[in-house]
Amino acid sequence: MDREWQVQEAKAKFSELLETSRTAGPQVVTKRGVKTAVLVSFEEWERMKRSSRTGLQDLLLSPEARTESLTPLSEKRRSSGTADPD
């Protein structure tokens, strides 16, 4: 569960903050009441990085059409009625 730590408390209890992020999940650090940063364990960070990468297989199998990047620019111009500058 996320816990909020004021920046002063985070500085004073950094070892506890670090251990809590490892055992209990992401920890939010606030500065003047504004959420400013999140401390996560290295394992969580690696998992987040892996899940945020979109591979070719994911792109091709996604439900959304991705054809706009497959049409050559000159083809796009012809279909929209704009003359090709060449």
Side-chain angles (χ1 to χ4, degrees), residues 34-71:
V34 177
K35 294 178 182 180
T36 307
V38 177
L39 184 65
V40 295
S41 68
F42 186 75
E43 292 81 13
E44 178 72 11
W45 174 253
E46 288 292 310
R47 187 192 65 71
M48 288 169 35
K49 283 188 354 185
R50 279 192 305 274
S51 70
S52 69
R53 291 187 188 142
T54 302
L56 179 59
Q57 180 180 3
D58 296 329
L59 184 63
L60 294 173
L61 295 175
S62 70
E64 298 86 24
R66 303 265 194 249
T67 57
E68 68 278 352
S69 62
L70 300 175
T71 307

Side-chain angles (χ1 to χ4, degrees), residues 4-8 10 28-37:
E4 290 188 15
W5 302 68
Q6 292 180 358
V7 72
Q8 300 85 351
V28 177
V29 178
T30 63
K31 186 171 187 176
R32 297 186 191 124
V34 177
K35 294 178 182 180
T36 307

